[in-house]
Amino acid sequence: MTCYDRQDLGLLLLRLGTGGVLAAHGAQKLFGWFGGGGIEGTGAAMEAMGYAPGKQSAVMAGLAEAGGGALLALGLATP
C-alpha cells in the first residue's frame, strides 16, 4: 500500500464518518430516529428559538442536514 493509497483511504473514512453523522442528525429532525424529536418536536424547538414557521424550518433544516450528509458521504464536491 503506497502513501497515496493510505491518504485516499483516510479521506474516504473521514468523508464517510462526517457524512454519516450529518445524515443521522438530519434523520433525528425529520423522522425522530436515534432519539430525535421528529418534525413536531424539532418544529416546537425552532418556534421557541424564534424561527417563525417552526415546522417548515424543521423540515428545511432536516433535509439540508440529511441530504448534505448523504452527498458528502458519496463524495460530492470532494477530491
Side-chain angles (χ1 to χ4, degrees):
M1 180 174 264
T2 67
C3 179
Y4 294 113
D5 292 335
R6 285 188 297 250
Q7 182 178 3
D8 288 341
L9 180 61
L11 289 173
L12 173 67
L13 293 175
L14 282 172
R15 198 172 68 229
L16 288 174
T18 304
V21 167
L22 279 172
H25 196 250
Q28 283 182 319
K29 284 181 175 64
L30 290 174
F31 310 116
W33 295 350
F34 313 113
I39 296 287
E40 299 300 323
T42 305
M46 293 274 196
E47 287 277 344
M49 286 185 263
Y51 294 99
K55 187 173 182 180
Q56 187 177 19
S57 296
V59 169
M60 297 311 293
L63 287 174
E65 286 185 15
L71 291 174
L72 178 64
L74 291 173
L76 181 73
T78 62

